[in-house]
Amino acid sequence: MNGFFALLARVLRDPVGVVETTDDPVVLQQRIPHLLAMAAGGAALFGVVVGSYRGGLQVPYAAIKMPLLLWVPVMLTLPATRALWAATGEEVSWRRTSVAGLVAMARMGVLAAAAGPALWLVYSVQPDYHFSVLLLAASLVVVGLPGLTVLMRALPRRGIRTVVAGVASLV
């Protein structure tokens, strides 16, 4: 378990360093379950908080849906990001792109779990539905931007990197 928490600290403090050190297939094989657990567990905890607004069956449903809400956009943008880099003449390996996406998802999951108590506090005063939806969207942007920065910083460092990240975000 010590390896899990050491990796968790590295994902938060130096996510690009985690991407850089996963060129070894054995290290990557050891890290993938931990990164997936961080992403799924953090997003599920955030989903529990979101589901608590309505209560009842929405709590487990939101806990199941929230990892998908955080993962699907990343999974859709990874091929687009790689294709955009290929269009600029820069070759980015599938392994690096996939590991960067996985580390980004893990970071988003951990940050979502950390944002959960603040969201729960606001939900405890029973805000109206429209405000709660806007607050949820804002929370997702706040936890999603650090994940996007991981992808931006882990991929090639040419000047077009920001344009590629912007276009991939629109996808």
Side-chain angles (χ1 to χ4, degrees), residues 1-4 36 38 51 57 59 64 67 72 87 90 95 100 106 110 126-127 135 149 171:
M1 199 52 126
N2 188 25
F4 177 83
L36 286 173
M38 287 178 215
L57 285 177
V59 175
I64 292 168
V72 168
E90 185 81 33
R95 177 181 287 188
V110 171
Q126 298 296 318
L135 184 62
T149 61
V171 169

Side-chain angles (χ1 to χ4, degrees), residues 1-10 30-31 34 38:
M1 199 52 126
N2 188 25
F4 177 83
F5 290 113
L7 183 60
L8 175 72
R10 288 199 59 214
Q30 293 170 346
R31 287 186 178 168
H34 295 307
M38 287 178 215

Side-chain angles (χ1 to χ4, degrees), residues 100-118:
L102 189 57
V103 171
M105 288 188 305
R107 192 171 198 202
M108 287 187 299
V110 171
L111 293 175

Side-chain angles (χ1 to χ4, degrees), residues 16 107 144-154:
V16 177
R107 192 171 198 202
L145 285 177
L148 179 61
T149 61
V150 170
L151 286 174
M152 281 182 56
R153 292 178 22 220

